[in-house]
Amino acid sequence: MAKVLVIGSGGREHALVWRLKQSPSVTEVFCAPGNGGIAQDATCITLKSPDDIVHFCKENAIGLVVIGPEQPLVDGLANRLEQEKIPVFGTSAAAAKLEGSKGFMKSICKKYNIVTADYGFFAHAGEAKTFLQGKSYPIVIKADGLAAGKGVIIAQSKQEAEDTIDAMFSGQFGDSGKSIVIEEFMEGPEVSLFALCDGNNATLFGYAQDHKRAFDGDKGPNTGGMGTYAPPPVMSDEVAMQVMRDIVQPTMDGMKKEGTPFKGVLFAGLMLTKQGPKLLEYNVRFGDPETQVLMARFSGDLYKVLLDCSKGTLNSKDITFHKDAAVCVVMAANGYPDTYKKNTIIRGLEKAAQVEGAKVFHAGTEKRGSDIVAVGGRVLGVTALGGNIAEAKARAYKAVDCIDWPEGFCRRDIAWQALKAAS
Ligand code: AMP
Ligand code: GLY
């Protein structure tokens, strides 16, 4: 029997907490810092530093720490916990560079023959501009470091590319733009693929399609993700296994050879091009809102699987899913991803929870007295299972319609690609 601590406060962490709580050997789930909805499924606590986390784990005999976001991984929280002999799901700082530095990720791809866009890596504006000679447009310019999803610019012309290079090197993206990657523009549908990794082997943990733009019809600004569905018909299990063989496992083997084995979840952002699947980016964490649909569909013992990853003993037979499809609709505060109002009251959550197959995951919420209030940009992930995507979608929107929150909005067309493909 074990107690588990989840680090993070988003919809991703709520989905992880909810599924961990259902593991037969888990007696209690803690979450630091958590949110208003997580508080209904776990004990939320404030832990301000790695020292606080270590202290808490020792005092409470925590059997597994699950690290949600990338920043603590990049900062070395998993290393620290391993040193303290506290089991941890999440990779080392050295392996987290697969997400923390796009230049590092591209160099691993080049060295181990992993299919991704052709690129150049630059530490000075002059060299970067020289590289543009003779290139075709659009071209893609990326800040090397973490930039909260805002570090990628698709430049339509040489002028725009040069202006972007100047902006990145002049500090517009902070330290993340001290060096940059320039890469070939690729076209095709995007899929998020997840693999659980135990340092040696990687096992497919499903795939989903996200909707990055704020508004219906894939219009409006880029966001962290406005909704997901799984499984997306645009990718078959066969293609997913091909990605595991040609992209994910060679990355695992490469990282091991480099002396920095990868343990945790590897999130491959893929583009399904006419020439086949190509790697756009790696993240070293679960996706948000992809995790909401993955967890709705996962039918195994999550605690066992994540613990086995940390011990290097992952067994692919433990990774099982319901046949049902899942859809997650994100409800965000009006104005997101730009400025938005906080502290607005959300009503109707109990009614939404009663919709068949539905579960409302919370992201930016806080419980104040008996009220749930919105305190973030992305606020709820209304998720539902159904016999197929159409049914899951209908249930998710039925639950959305129970929620009384005039200060929030959502897209109405989540999963449109799947439904278009089926019609
Ligand atoms: P990344 O953070 O690297 O995934 O990039 C964010 C988004 O920019 C991706 O989800 C794609 O939509 C787009 N993108 C990134 N790289 C490319 C590329 N080489 N070609 C076309 N679009 C890209
Ligand atoms: N939904 C995309 C991400 O988590 O990065």
Short mmCIF file of all heavy atoms in Angstrom, two decimals, residues 102 117 140 142 149 152 154 183-187 190 212 271 280-281, ligand 1:
data_model
loop_
_atom_site.label_atom_id
_atom_site.label_comp_id
_atom_site.label_asym_id
_atom_site.label_seq_id
_atom_site.Cartn_x
_atom_site.Cartn_y
_atom_site.Cartn_z
N LYS A 102 15.74 22.95 -27.70
CA LYS A 102 15.39 22.42 -29.02
C LYS A 102 16.65 22.06 -29.80
O LYS A 102 16.64 21.11 -30.60
CB LYS A 102 14.53 23.41 -29.78
CG LYS A 102 13.16 23.59 -29.12
CD LYS A 102 12.16 24.27 -30.00
CE LYS A 102 10.89 24.65 -29.26
NZ LYS A 102 9.98 23.54 -28.96
N ALA A 117 12.49 17.66 -39.06
CA ALA A 117 12.76 18.67 -40.10
C ALA A 117 14.25 18.98 -40.16
O ALA A 117 14.92 19.03 -39.12
CB ALA A 117 11.97 19.93 -39.76
N VAL A 140 10.65 27.96 -40.38
CA VAL A 140 10.25 27.94 -38.96
C VAL A 140 11.43 28.34 -38.08
O VAL A 140 12.53 27.80 -38.22
CB VAL A 140 9.72 26.54 -38.57
CG1 VAL A 140 9.19 26.54 -37.14
CG2 VAL A 140 8.62 26.10 -39.53
N LYS A 142 12.72 28.86 -34.09
CA LYS A 142 12.35 28.47 -32.72
C LYS A 142 13.40 28.94 -31.72
O LYS A 142 14.60 28.73 -31.94
CB LYS A 142 12.27 26.93 -32.62
CG LYS A 142 11.27 26.30 -33.57
CD LYS A 142 11.15 24.80 -33.37
CE LYS A 142 10.06 24.25 -34.27
NZ LYS A 142 9.78 22.82 -34.02
N GLY A 149 5.43 27.65 -24.92
CA GLY A 149 4.68 27.42 -26.17
C GLY A 149 4.67 28.61 -27.11
O GLY A 149 4.02 28.60 -28.14
N VAL A 152 7.85 29.63 -31.05
CA VAL A 152 7.91 29.14 -32.43
C VAL A 152 7.25 30.15 -33.37
O VAL A 152 6.09 30.50 -33.18
CB VAL A 152 7.21 27.77 -32.57
CG1 VAL A 152 7.19 27.30 -34.01
CG2 VAL A 152 7.88 26.73 -31.68
N ILE A 154 6.46 30.97 -37.44
CA ILE A 154 6.50 30.51 -38.82
C ILE A 154 6.60 31.75 -39.69
O ILE A 154 5.63 32.52 -39.80
CB ILE A 154 5.26 29.65 -39.15
CG1 ILE A 154 5.33 28.39 -38.25
CG2 ILE A 154 5.21 29.27 -40.63
CD1 ILE A 154 4.16 27.48 -38.29
N GLU A 183 14.29 25.80 -38.93
CA GLU A 183 14.04 24.51 -39.57
C GLU A 183 13.03 24.59 -40.70
O GLU A 183 12.25 25.55 -40.81
CB GLU A 183 13.65 23.44 -38.53
CG GLU A 183 12.29 23.63 -37.91
CD GLU A 183 11.94 22.53 -36.91
OE1 GLU A 183 12.85 21.97 -36.26
OE2 GLU A 183 10.74 22.25 -36.79
N GLU A 184 13.07 23.55 -41.49
CA GLU A 184 12.21 23.38 -42.65
C GLU A 184 10.75 23.37 -42.21
O GLU A 184 10.42 22.80 -41.17
CB GLU A 184 12.64 22.04 -43.26
CG GLU A 184 11.74 21.38 -44.22
CD GLU A 184 11.96 19.85 -44.22
OE1 GLU A 184 12.66 19.29 -43.35
OE2 GLU A 184 11.40 19.21 -45.10
N PHE A 185 9.88 23.98 -42.99
CA PHE A 185 8.43 23.99 -42.72
C PHE A 185 7.84 22.66 -43.19
O PHE A 185 8.11 22.21 -44.29
CB PHE A 185 7.79 25.16 -43.47
CG PHE A 185 6.30 25.23 -43.34
CD1 PHE A 185 5.72 25.68 -42.17
CD2 PHE A 185 5.48 24.85 -44.40
CE1 PHE A 185 4.33 25.75 -42.05
CE2 PHE A 185 4.10 24.92 -44.29
CZ PHE A 185 3.52 25.38 -43.11
N MET A 186 7.07 22.03 -42.32
CA MET A 186 6.45 20.75 -42.70
C MET A 186 4.93 20.93 -42.71
O MET A 186 4.40 21.80 -42.05
CB MET A 186 6.82 19.67 -41.68
CG MET A 186 8.32 19.47 -41.54
SD MET A 186 8.76 18.04 -40.54
CE MET A 186 8.29 18.53 -38.90
N GLU A 187 4.26 20.06 -43.45
CA GLU A 187 2.80 20.16 -43.54
C GLU A 187 2.15 18.82 -43.29
O GLU A 187 2.67 17.79 -43.72
CB GLU A 187 2.40 20.65 -44.93
CG GLU A 187 2.45 22.15 -45.04
CD GLU A 187 2.12 22.62 -46.44
OE1 GLU A 187 2.95 22.39 -47.34
OE2 GLU A 187 1.03 23.19 -46.61
N GLU A 190 -1.34 17.12 -37.19
CA GLU A 190 -0.47 16.89 -36.02
C GLU A 190 -1.12 15.91 -35.06
O GLU A 190 -2.33 15.92 -34.87
CB GLU A 190 -0.23 18.21 -35.29
CG GLU A 190 0.69 19.13 -36.05
CD GLU A 190 0.99 20.41 -35.29
OE1 GLU A 190 1.21 20.36 -34.06
OE2 GLU A 190 0.98 21.46 -35.95
N LYS A 212 -5.04 23.55 -31.02
CA LYS A 212 -4.21 24.59 -30.40
C LYS A 212 -4.77 26.00 -30.50
O LYS A 212 -4.46 26.84 -29.68
CB LYS A 212 -2.82 24.56 -31.03
CG LYS A 212 -2.14 23.23 -30.74
CD LYS A 212 -0.65 23.25 -30.78
CE LYS A 212 -0.15 21.99 -30.10
NZ LYS A 212 1.10 21.49 -30.58
N MET A 271 4.20 15.33 -36.91
CA MET A 271 3.46 15.80 -38.07
C MET A 271 3.38 14.65 -39.05
O MET A 271 4.40 14.04 -39.38
CB MET A 271 4.14 17.02 -38.68
CG MET A 271 3.22 17.75 -39.61
SD MET A 271 3.85 19.39 -39.95
CE MET A 271 2.90 20.41 -38.88
N LEU A 280 8.10 16.74 -34.63
CA LEU A 280 8.12 18.20 -34.51
C LEU A 280 8.90 18.62 -33.28
O LEU A 280 9.70 19.54 -33.30
CB LEU A 280 6.70 18.74 -34.33
CG LEU A 280 5.83 18.97 -35.53
CD1 LEU A 280 4.42 19.31 -35.04
CD2 LEU A 280 6.36 20.10 -36.38
N GLU A 281 8.57 17.96 -32.17
CA GLU A 281 9.20 18.32 -30.90
C GLU A 281 9.02 17.18 -29.91
O GLU A 281 8.15 16.34 -30.07
CB GLU A 281 8.54 19.58 -30.31
CG GLU A 281 7.09 19.36 -29.96
CD GLU A 281 6.49 20.40 -29.01
OE1 GLU A 281 7.25 21.18 -28.43
OE2 GLU A 281 5.27 20.41 -28.86
P1 AMP B 1 6.74 23.07 -31.17
O1 AMP B 1 6.71 23.84 -29.88
O2 AMP B 1 8.10 22.80 -31.69
O3 AMP B 1 5.83 21.89 -31.23
O4 AMP B 1 6.00 24.03 -32.18
C1 AMP B 1 4.70 24.55 -31.92
C2 AMP B 1 3.85 24.42 -33.15
O5 AMP B 1 4.45 25.10 -34.24
C3 AMP B 1 3.65 22.98 -33.60
O6 AMP B 1 2.61 22.35 -32.92
C4 AMP B 1 3.37 23.19 -35.09
O7 AMP B 1 2.02 23.53 -35.28
C5 AMP B 1 4.22 24.37 -35.43
N1 AMP B 1 5.52 23.91 -35.97
C6 AMP B 1 6.64 23.64 -35.29
N2 AMP B 1 7.62 23.21 -36.09
C7 AMP B 1 7.12 23.21 -37.35
C8 AMP B 1 7.63 22.87 -38.63
N3 AMP B 1 8.88 22.48 -38.79
N4 AMP B 1 6.81 22.98 -39.69
C9 AMP B 1 5.54 23.42 -39.55
N5 AMP B 1 4.99 23.75 -38.37
C10 AMP B 1 5.76 23.66 -37.27
#
